Amino acid sequence: MNDFSAHPSARNGRPARDLRVDLGLVAAQIPASSRVLDLGCGTGTLLSYLMAERDCTGTGVEIDPQKVVRAIRRGVPVIELDLDRQLDQFSDNSYDVCVLSRTLQTIQRPAHVLEHMGRIANLMVVSVPNFGWWGHRLRLLGGHMPMSKELPYSWYDTPNIRHTTLLDLEELFDQLGFVVERKYSYTLRGRRLHMQGHISNLLAGAAVYVLRPGR
Amino acid sequence: MSAERTGSLGVTRTEVVRLFTEDEPLRLASGRALGPVDVAYETYGTLNADASNAVLVCHALTGDAHAAGFHEGDKRPGWWDTLIGPGKPLDTDRFFVICSNLLGGCQGTTGPSSPRPDTGEPYGLDFPLVLMEDFVNVHRALARHLGVGKLLAAIGGSMGGMQVLDWSLRYPEELANAIIVAASSRLTAQNIAFSAVARRAIVDDPDFRDGRYAAEGTSPDVGLAIARMMAHITYMSEDALDEKFGRTYQQQVRKPGFGIDFAVESYLDHQGQAFLARFDALSYLYLTRSMDYFDPFAETPPRVRPDPVKYLVLSFDSDWRFDTEHSRRIVRHLERGRLPVTFRELSSPWGHDSFLLDNDDYHATVRAYLDRALEVGL
């Protein structure tokens, strides 16, 4: 059990806990009836849920052809493009919410993508694994690249090319002028952490940020 | 897709119906009236009880109503037989498929070489200019004639995709899903330039006779064949031409000079000559011109609706006739209209013609989209 589904906005319809832990938390941050752009939508799980249960509309962006076809089959509008190069396809303020869920660590130009997100929507939800989690630090101290439930890949065969700790990521948000409205960090087992700063950077396996562009 | 599930429609045939008469003519976008209008069409599969499984197939510039199956005695199937048939992505066991020859065409539907009602002579250049929305209005009349008030989907490649786009913007309440493949919402100067040269080849052929060639017993074969040869180059990628022909010679014994020496020259010559047997020069003028004038987002911006048309827009990475930027432009406009759009750029080496060919990723995408469309319904 985790306590994300206890978030009030997640109580409508099917409980968000049917989703992957972090997706449930992401879903809970999205106001009902929003128009949502989900960058790195995979097979469209989040949007499919938001469309069916929360009266949302929206579009997913995905580059893996097989995932795109599965998203199409479940009725999620999806645009196949490269986040690093082609986000100019979307016009300013064309969405209410822009989601980047477990995707930041896989893209070449994270800052560039975040900038586009702030241009496209006035509310952003960013979910990331935490490279600074204590288990990862121990692995490094032991002389090995971090691996965990959050980062399950070998260094030579991983889609994750941009590892960040929560502290470093927050610095980037700051540089981009983003305002962190809410932050949820949680342990590898999905237990919510209520501490902030260095402690959460040590204990959190992952985090979800709710952001506003500073404009 | 498994082989045992897919099959051919077997023998199919083209029907003709008079949808507009002299007394009740078709009102064209130009304001002119046209009648009678006969339309050649084929249907495959069965319309279900609540008429909710109809899919309109729109053909490209030189296509016809014969999209799938075999005409009696033919060795080659219809032009989109790769996509349409039992168990295929456009599954005729589940969908009711309609395909008709375009207004202004020459394969059974009224066009510039059809006889005028007043004189009995072919219209020639007196045939009115026809636009994309005129094609769409004829499609709508045919759908109504067949008992279909709202299409589950319309699908088309190239100029076929333009008709689908036009329908979706003008009559969104009569269409649930629009599948637009390798198409454009606005031709570029280069696109128009290619068509301009093709048309000039036809019009300047001495046998064109100001469009009265049929009455005068001639035929602008040279011009039409050249038009087709040039257009055909634009339908294929450079790589496709290279792979097919390279710089190989047509004969063991070379024939230096200005005749046909390279294999690619022979191929184009064959394409040009074969085209003469099935296409009319005036139709070529009228139909290419309708594309030049097409710019639907300028006239009919997407309307926000509670129950919007859903879109699938596809392009091919080697297509340079209507390259991916054309499709991206369509997607941007639809996106701006807040309409649900799915877009993919598919990988295929064959250029613009890819939309007619077998391609697993392409067909899997169309299949997934149509399966979902049928599940959701109108």
Side-chain angles (χ1 to χ4, degrees), chain B residues 260-304:
Chain B
I260 290 172
D261 199 9
F262 290 96
V264 66
E265 293 178 294
S266 169
Y267 171 77
L268 281 181
D269 184 65
H270 170 76
Q271 290 295 332
Q273 293 305 315
F275 192 56
L276 298 178
R278 67 180 184 89
F279 218 79
D280 174 62
L282 281 162
S283 286
Y284 202 88
L285 299 184
Y286 277 87
L287 297 186
T288 56
R289 201 53 164 163
S290 74
M291 282 194 275
D292 295 355
Y293 290 127
F294 186 56
D295 190 5
F297 291 117
E299 295 167 23
T300 324
R303 273 183 276 158
V304 180

Side-chain angles (χ1 to χ4, degrees), chain A residues 141-182:
Chain A
L141 276 178
H144 293 285
M145 282 298 284
M147 279 176 73
S148 65
K149 196 175 120 209
E150 287 291 340
L151 300 172
Y153 303 96
S154 303
W155 64 271
Y156 53 84
D157 185 25
T158 176
N160 302 325
I161 54 171
R162 292 278 184 261
H163 295 295
T164 178
T165 69
L166 301 184
L167 283 182
D168 287 346
L169 181 61
E170 285 160 27
E171 245 181 68
L172 177 59
F173 290 153
D174 203 43
Q175 276 176 37
L176 293 169
F178 288 0
V179 179
V180 177
E181 280 212 338
R182 295 190 289 280

Side-chain angles (χ1 to χ4, degrees), chain B residues 107-378:
Chain B
Q107 326 231 29
T109 295
T110 300
S113 289
S114 302
R116 297 171 60 126
D118 48 351
T119 64
E121 297 285 307
Y123 281 98
L125 290 174
D126 291 335
F127 194 76
L129 272 184
V130 284
L131 298 176
M132 214 59 73
E133 63 176 285
D134 298 320
F135 306 145
V136 167
N137 282 325
V138 176
H139 289 323
R140 292 169 68 225
L142 177 63
R144 283 195 296 270
H145 167 75
L146 295 171
V148 177
K150 182 175 181 179
L151 293 171
L152 179 64
I155 178 171
S158 191
M159 185 182 170
M162 297 180 179
Q163 296 154 51
V164 175
L165 176 60
D166 196 77
W167 180 318
S168 74
L169 296 173
R170 269 177 220 287
Y171 308 104
E173 61 285 353
E174 295 174 20
L175 178 65
N177 292 278
I179 306 179
I180 299 166
V181 189
S184 172
S185 61
R186 187 167 70 167
L187 265 53
T188 62
Q190 188 193 50
N191 298 145
I192 295 170
F194 274 117
S195 289
V197 176
R199 285 191 295 265
R200 181 64 77 84
I202 291 168
V203 171
D204 282 2
D205 185 316
D207 285 337
F208 182 67
R209 310 280 171 96
D210 286 329
R212 288 188 302 274
Y213 52 86
E216 299 191 11
T218 63
S219 183
D221 288 351
V222 172
L224 184 58
I226 291 173
R228 176 60 172 181
M229 287 167 76
M230 198 191 54
H232 201 84
I233 301 168
T234 70
Y235 301 153
M236 296 177 72
S237 65
E238 187 170 13
D239 285 348
L241 275 178
D242 254 340
E243 173 154 337
K244 250 184 150 139
F245 308 107
R247 290 176 51 87
T248 51
Y249 295 104
Q250 183 58 18
Q251 311 278 347
Q252 291 275 332
V253 184
R254 283 199 47 205
K255 290 191 232 161
F258 301 108
I260 290 172
D261 199 9
F262 290 96
V264 66
E265 293 178 294
S266 169
Y267 171 77
L268 281 181
D269 184 65
H270 170 76
Q271 290 295 332
Q273 293 305 315
F275 192 56
L276 298 178
R278 67 180 184 89
F279 218 79
D280 174 62
L282 281 162
S283 286
Y284 202 88
L285 299 184
Y286 277 87
L287 297 186
T288 56
R289 201 53 164 163
S290 74
M291 282 194 275
D292 295 355
Y293 290 127
F294 186 56
D295 190 5
F297 291 117
E299 295 167 23
T300 324
R303 273 183 276 158
V304 180
R305 288 168 44 81
D307 184 22
V309 179
K310 301 184 213 42
Y311 290 85
L312 173 63
V313 179
L314 300 173
S315 70
F316 295 95
D317 57 1
S318 59
D319 183 353
W320 62 279
R321 175 77 181 193
F322 295 147
D323 65 29
T324 293
E325 185 45 41
H326 284 267
S327 290
R328 285 199 197 287
R329 183 175 190 277
I330 294 173
V331 172
R332 277 197 300 275
H333 276 279
L334 298 173
E335 264 284 312
R336 232 171 275 159
R338 303 205 152 204
L339 298 173
V341 193
T342 290
F343 165 74
R344 293 197 68 193
E345 180 187 46
L346 297 154
S347 183
S348 163
W350 305 113
H352 188 57
D353 269 350
S354 299
F355 81 90
L356 294 168
L357 306 175
D358 243 326
N359 171 324
D360 286 347
D361 200 19
Y362 168 37
H363 281 186
T365 303
V366 173
R367 181 187 294 274
Y369 189 86
L370 282 171
D371 285 354
R372 175 69 185 186
L374 191 63
E375 218 167 76
V376 173
L378 297 179

